[in-house]
Amino acid sequence: MSDMDAGRPPGAPAPWETAPPDVDLSRVWTSVAAEVWRRRPGPLERAAGRLLRSPGLARALVTTPSLLLAWIIATVVVLFAGAGATLATGTPYVALLAPAVAAAGIAYAYGPGIDPAWELSQSMAVSDRIVLLVRALAVFGLNAALGLAASAASGAAAALTFGWLVPMTAACALALAAATLARSAIVGVAAGVAAWVIAVLSGAAAGGQFTTAVTNTALVLPYLAFAACCSAVVLYATRIPRGTS
Amino acid sequence: MNIDITDLTRRFGRTQAVAGVDLRTGAGVFGLLGPNGAGKTSLLRMMATVLPPTSGRLRLLGRDPGSYGPRREIRRRLGYLPQNLGYYPGFTVAEFVEYFALLKDMPPGQVPRAVAAAVGQVGLGDKARAKLRTLSGGMLRRAGIAQAIVNGPELLLLDEPTAGLDPEQRVAFRALLRDLGQRATVIVSTHLVEDVGAACTEVALMDAGKLVFQGTPDELIARGEGTGAAGDAPLERGYSAVLAAARSTTAAA
């Protein structure tokens, strides 16, 4: 027996069972439950909702676990390992590391096997491509912000930051394209990281320094063109074909 | 017609999952029966706009899901329960339903009441604040049904909705289906013939990717009468008789 039943004779109706006939108890219950059960968005989710103009997208960005994992990995690796090494040695490890980390984050941002409710999410009005884009931008933006801060701390902020943002875009676009085509985040990570390692080693072989891949301004356009091609592949691979009616 | 399908096909490599299906239906509860591998789930996934057809004509709620704008409108009015419902273990039941209500583009102001109503309709009111990882299989299924109906869908697609439900819950669920079918098109894919008999106004039977029967449950029962087909109930005998006839026709061809 609950506290609310205490003192009531057996068989006697509870107070809520003797409500006036013009009171719709079902509606009252629904209103109370709605107020009690609703999830109050935190400051980050509210800000994202205003920025994206979609509470659904904000919820998808902030609360779903796949992004959180990528976010944590990117934060820990870039901030602590990369920035620490950069400060200690003067070599821009952040610039060299960030593209590979961001590529891993992008590949793990969305997809079957990554998002438990992926099948359901595909049938939603807020398109899965938009969710993917927002998650990708979030991972990219976080890495960019952290890298910018670390680069600033090491003294060669602007040139260095813009030097690695562009290759990071290319590595991320490749990881996303590979993950989308293969429907496997692992393949995406492997492609993104492998391509970046090859780029760094090729730069070292050609220029004598490991940092060539991020400091050679002649590579900016090829990086951007490569990123554009990979983005086109993603768009093509995730389209729903016309001609079904 | 909320669903208008003509000669719809879907191939996976060399496998023909759906082979030239024609289907038209309006409001009511429509049962989709068939053995495992008949193509029910593929057909349902195409109607849920998750899987694009290989060929054929598909119109849902009077719109073409092949174009972005109409597809988004369809999805706003759609409820879908996949066969394998994935979920976020750390979400509560209410959070789970609310999340998908938001992804369905419901006006945020209407979401809390809609969530409370949907959770109440599936009888999970006392578990609304329980984490999904703590729920039984039947309760998870009901949480999945709640997210499917939260937006008051005009088209509701349920893939094996009664899997994991106990007999009492199944009776309650059939009553909910009949209620929803008053104003929406409800497609229920199942291999449980008794669900169809109790809740559906119309039924179709699929085998090897094709619709081999479409009619009322009474018409399906009539197909089994006097045939000596296997089954413990009249509907089961009708089901067996139609399947046997379809397979013998295929074998003869």
Side-chain angles (χ1 to χ4, degrees):
Chain A
M1 182 179 275
S2 72
D3 291 344
M4 295 171 75
D5 293 324
R8 183 158 53 88
W16 58 89
E17 292 171 330
T18 58
D22 58 336
V23 174
D24 185 342
L25 285 178
S26 173
R27 285 179 67 87
V28 172
W29 182 88
T30 301
S31 299
V32 171
E35 204 47 45
V36 172
W37 295 345
R38 72 185 303 176
R39 181 184 184 280
R40 265 81 184 170
L44 185 61
E45 186 180 329
R46 284 201 302 273
R50 278 194 293 274
L51 183 69
L52 299 167
R53 296 186 172 192
S54 167
L57 261 184
R59 184 70 56 91
L61 175 65
V62 173
T63 63
T64 44
S66 56
L67 178 66
L68 292 177
L69 181 65
W71 202 302
I72 289 166
I73 292 170
T75 304
V76 170
V77 174
V78 172
L79 186 62
F80 291 100
T86 302
L87 287 171
T89 64
T91 303
Y93 285 110
V94 171
L96 291 170
L97 193 62
V101 176
I106 293 286
Y108 273 100
Y110 190 64
I114 301 298
D115 191 330
W118 185 75
E119 166 90 2
L120 201 48
S121 301
Q122 282 196 299
S123 70
M124 295 293 140
V126 175
S127 156
D128 52 339
R129 288 170 77 174
I130 299 293
V131 172
L132 173 63
L133 177 67
V134 168
R135 287 176 174 174
L137 286 174
V139 174
F140 187 89
L142 184 79
N143 277 268
L146 291 171
L148 184 62
S151 299
S154 72
L160 195 57
T161 298
F162 287 108
W164 63 259
L165 267 177
V166 174
M168 189 165 91
T169 306
C172 288
L174 175 65
L176 189 58
T180 304
L181 287 175
R183 297 168 76 91
S184 162
I186 293 170
V187 172
V189 173
V193 172
W196 183 239
V197 168
I198 290 168
V200 170
L201 293 178
S202 303
Q209 287 187 313
F210 281 109
T211 54
T212 302
V214 291
T215 54
N216 186 352
T217 53
L219 293 174
V220 169
L221 277 179
Y223 280 142
L224 287 175
F226 185 72
C229 291
C230 291
S231 302
V233 169
V234 173
L235 287 174
Y236 183 79
T238 57
R239 83 204 188 286
I240 288 191
R242 285 174 176 274
T244 55
S245 66
Chain B
M1 288 289 122
N2 284 344
I3 293 177
D4 187 353
I5 291 174
T6 308
D7 199 21
L8 199 69
T9 67
R10 174 69 206 192
R11 296 187 72 89
F12 296 99
R14 291 181 179 179
T15 306
Q16 181 100 32
V18 176
V21 164
D22 296 307
L23 182 66
R24 273 160 208 85
T25 188
V29 184
F30 191 100
L32 196 56
L33 281 170
N36 293 335
K40 305 188 297 292
T41 292
S42 295
L43 181 59
L44 217 63
R45 292 184 76 214
M46 285 191 277
M47 287 193 261
T49 72
V50 170
L51 184 68
T54 304
S55 67
R57 181 179 187 270
L58 171 64
R59 286 188 76 81
L60 304 166
L61 303 173
R63 298 169 177 87
D64 170 17
S67 306
Y68 175 76
R71 184 168 65 247
R72 187 167 186 175
E73 284 304 314
I74 292 165
R75 288 176 171 179
R76 282 183 177 134
R77 294 162 171 79
L78 177 73
Y80 174 46
L81 175 72
Q83 191 173 35
N84 298 312
L85 174 73
Y87 61 91
Y88 306 112
F91 275 22
T92 66
V93 170
E95 285 170 353
F96 178 70
V97 178
E98 187 181 66
Y99 176 58
F100 286 106
L102 291 170
L103 286 185
K104 289 177 183 191
D105 250 356
M106 287 185 71
Q110 294 177 13
V111 167
R113 277 189 68 87
V115 170
V119 171
Q121 275 185 291
V122 299
L124 278 180
D126 57 339
K127 294 287 183 186
R129 301 179 84 176
K131 300 277 189 194
L132 292 174
R133 64 168 162 261
T134 68
L135 301 187
S136 68
M139 287 176 181
L140 281 173
R141 209 70 192 144
R142 284 191 279 160
I145 294 165
Q147 69 74 28
I149 64 175
V150 68
N151 57 332
E154 293 169 41
L155 176 59
L156 179 59
L157 307 167
L158 305 169
D159 201 349
E160 303 288 358
T162 54
L165 301 190
D166 63 36
E168 189 182 5
Q169 291 163 359
R170 281 170 61 186
V171 169
F173 174 69
R174 289 169 189 163
L176 175 61
L177 274 188
R178 286 191 292 269
D179 182 43
L180 293 167
Q182 301 289 318
R183 51 193 177 279
T185 299
V186 184
I187 309 284
V188 185
S189 168
T190 181
H191 60 273
L192 298 174
V193 177
E194 59 267 38
D195 285 343
V196 169
C200 297
T201 49
E202 203 174 350
V203 58
L205 208 159
M206 280 190 86
D207 187 44
K210 293 179 178 166
L211 279 190
V212 293
F213 172 84
Q214 186 177 346
T216 64
D218 286 340
E219 287 168 346
L220 183 57
I221 289 171
R223 291 287 189 97
E225 287 172 355
T227 60
D232 295 326
L235 260 175
E236 285 181 355
R237 287 191 283 278
Y239 173 93
S240 300
V242 169
L243 270 188
R247 287 171 182 173
S248 65
T249 305
T250 307

